[in-house]
Amino acid sequence: MSPDEQSERRADGSKTARTVGQLVKYSREVNKSRTVDEVATYALEAAFHVMDGHPSPTVTEVRQGDLCVLETMAAGVETGGEPSAIARRAYESGKTVVLPGKGIPVEYATEDTLVVSPDQLDTRPPADELTIASPTVTTDDVGEIGVVMTIRWPSVESVASHHVKPVEYLADHVATAIQNIRSRERLERARNDLARRKEMIEVYDRLLRHDLGNDLQVITGYSDALVRTVEDDDQIAEYVDKIHTTAVSAADLIDRVGDLVKTLEEEEQPEARPLRPIVADVVETVDAKFPDLTVQCDAGDFDYEVFAGDLLDSIFTNILSNAAVHNEDPVTVDVYAEEPAPDTVVVGFADDGTGVPEEIRDEIFAMGERGPDSDGTGLGLGLARALTESYGGDIAVRTSDAGGADFRVRLDWP
């Protein structure tokens, strides 16, 4: 090695050390972040301000084999969209991928570095552009989790260690921060699930005592009246009918609450579940039950996994059945999956019925509340929202394009 080469290597090593040293302060902020969006924002700021040449960075999250862009400053790459070809190659190879422009020499590479040409990625970057993508991915009890850090320089003379090593360093720290946040989120979901179950059981207990107590008072009152009017046959027939109806209602309520409490107590913590078969089974079952209900659904639109428990099907069943029960005329429901955000997917139920007035849209989800024309117990939509929230999601309703109701169930996906 010539003296000039030795001098260049020392200069490169010094620049690498300075760059990594400056990234350390950003790493502290990254590790203190409370959300993955904060982590991605700090990562972009660090790369742009610290790395030589003010490059364009992109943070791509890896979750169970799916890649999604969290944040980016690169032209042609969209936040929330698909990763670039080089980011995907880095994930698939498990190596730092270097894509130099035509004629740019690669002066630094290791066995963990993969140098590729534009033809291999089916891309045509400018001749003097350099792009490096470095993955840090681990596997836990849920699956793969991590990031691919991609940095694009508009112009470089050669590929040196002060380009490659800082990208790898930043990828490691960003991945660790995101892994910690996702673990906390799963733990928080589990805690919320337990708290929600306890709250729901308490609500059911209050409903049971209150509603059943009122029903039993009715039975007692009419029974007393029956004794006093035993000679009036017409009155006796009316009272006997009321006694029977109320008793059946009370028994049904006891069975419902008992089954719900038992199911909630036995249900496992939310876990990743395939959405497609659950939606398909619910649609088939409910569609067959109501002759005046038409369901439009493409099962292929639901090829996602979502965090949920064993009662996810009951949430969908309740919402879909409501469309038939609460519309006097035949009704059509479009069951759809909305293009997911980085962390969520929406399952929608849009019908062409009479809709839900805006002034009662919050009330219909209150536990024990009945709609203005409902003769049910008021447990249906309240239970559906409570269950969905226990899984880390939520339910809302809006007006559908056809003027009816559009119930939207948002669920987390891994």
Side-chain angles (χ1 to χ4, degrees):
M1 182 181 298
S2 68
D4 288 344
E5 291 174 332
Q6 292 177 351
S7 177
E8 289 178 2
R9 178 166 294 187
R10 284 195 298 269
D12 184 31
S14 297
K15 184 178 287 188
T16 300
R18 282 198 308 273
T19 303
V20 172
Q22 290 175 313
L23 288 175
V24 169
K25 69 174 183 179
Y26 283 98
S27 297
R28 296 193 187 102
E29 296 302 321
V30 164
N31 290 327
K32 290 190 295 184
S33 298
R34 301 300 301 172
T35 68
V36 294
D37 290 337
E38 287 183 15
V39 171
T41 299
Y42 280 123
L44 263 58
E45 183 180 340
F48 180 78
H49 289 293
V50 171
M51 293 185 183
D52 187 48
H54 301 295
S56 300
T58 299
V59 179
T60 300
E61 185 178 11
V62 178
R63 299 184 71 182
Q64 292 191 319
D66 292 319
L67 280 67
C68 181
V69 176
L70 288 179
E71 289 283 355
T72 184
M73 295 174 64
V77 182
E78 296 184 359
T79 298
E82 291 292 318
S84 61
I86 188 173
R88 187 165 293 280
R89 175 64 66 87
Y91 162 69
E92 293 172 349
S93 66
K95 294 184 176 183
T96 297
V97 177
V98 178
L99 174 63
K102 185 177 181 180
I104 297 179
V106 179
E107 298 178 352
Y108 176 84
T110 69
E111 61 181 12
D112 294 323
T113 305
L114 179 64
V115 181
V116 298
S117 66
D119 291 339
Q120 291 175 295
L121 296 180
D122 193 23
T123 185
R124 293 291 182 272
D128 55 353
E129 184 175 281
L130 167 65
T131 305
I132 298 176
S134 181
T136 298
V137 180
T138 59
T139 302
D140 59 14
D141 55 345
V142 175
E144 287 185 327
I145 185 169
V147 301
V148 178
M149 194 77 210
T150 307
I151 309 293
R152 181 188 300 172
W153 283 265
S155 177
V156 297
E157 295 180 357
S158 64
V159 181
S161 68
H162 70 266
H163 295 116
V164 179
K165 286 186 176 180
V167 182
E168 295 174 337
Y169 172 88
L170 194 56
D172 287 343
H173 283 263
V174 171
T176 298
I178 288 180
Q179 289 163 5
N180 290 338
I181 289 171
R182 293 303 186 196
S183 295
R184 288 198 301 268
E185 289 174 348
R186 290 199 297 271
L187 179 60
E188 188 63 25
R189 276 196 296 268
R191 289 174 176 169
N192 289 340
D193 179 54
L194 180 60
R196 176 63 64 179
R197 290 185 195 182
K198 291 181 179 178
E199 178 184 340
M200 291 168 68
I201 290 173
E202 291 173 359
V203 169
Y204 294 143
D205 182 61
R206 291 196 300 271
L207 285 172
L208 183 63
R209 294 175 186 275
H210 180 268
D211 288 11
L212 181 57
N214 287 346
D215 286 346
L216 291 177
Q217 287 179 6
V218 172
I219 293 174
T220 301
Y222 280 112
S223 297
D224 290 342
L226 179 60
V227 172
R228 292 193 298 270
T229 59
V230 67
E231 295 180 357
D232 189 337
D233 291 344
D234 292 337
Q235 283 293 99
I236 289 175
E238 179 183 351
Y239 289 163
V240 168
D241 181 64
K242 288 183 179 294
I243 290 172
H244 175 73
T245 301
T246 305
V248 170
S249 175
D252 179 64
L253 181 60
I254 292 173
D255 290 341
R256 281 167 165 266
V257 174
D259 290 343
L260 286 169
V261 171
K262 182 179 180 181
T263 303
L264 288 169
E265 289 176 334
E266 294 177 351
E267 190 180 23
E268 298 296 327
Q269 297 290 355
E271 59 184 31
R273 298 176 183 274
L275 183 59
R276 178 171 180 167
I278 296 174
V279 172
D281 287 347
V282 168
V283 167
E284 182 180 0
T285 301
V286 178
D287 193 27
K289 184 177 179 181
F290 298 100
D292 290 336
L293 175 67
T294 300
V295 183
Q296 298 175 343
C297 178
D298 185 348
D301 293 339
F302 298 90
D303 282 332
Y304 304 104
E305 286 193 338
V306 295
F307 282 111
D310 296 331
L311 293 177
L312 180 60
D313 61 337
S314 70
I315 297 172
F316 296 157
T317 297
N318 184 276
I319 295 174
L320 190 55
S321 298
N322 273 350
V325 171
H326 296 296
N327 286 285
E328 295 181 0
D329 297 325
V331 62
T332 298
V333 181
D334 177 24
V335 183
Y336 64 90
E338 188 174 274
E339 187 69 23
D343 303 322
T344 62
V345 60
V346 171
V347 180
F349 301 82
D351 65 54
D352 59 356
T354 57
V356 179
E358 188 170 354
E359 61 270 17
I360 67 167
R361 288 179 183 174
D362 287 333
E363 296 176 8
I364 62 173
F365 292 108
M367 195 72 74
E369 289 292 330
R370 298 177 175 89
D373 300 319
S374 173
D375 57 1
T377 64
L379 296 178
L381 289 176
L383 172 63
R385 170 174 277 185
L387 281 171
T388 306
E389 290 177 350
S390 78
Y391 300 153
D394 59 48
I395 300 181
V397 63
R398 64 185 185 184
T399 301
S400 70
D401 292 340
D406 183 2
F407 284 87
R408 295 162 53 79
V409 182
R410 182 188 62 80
L411 297 164
D412 288 347
W413 67 311

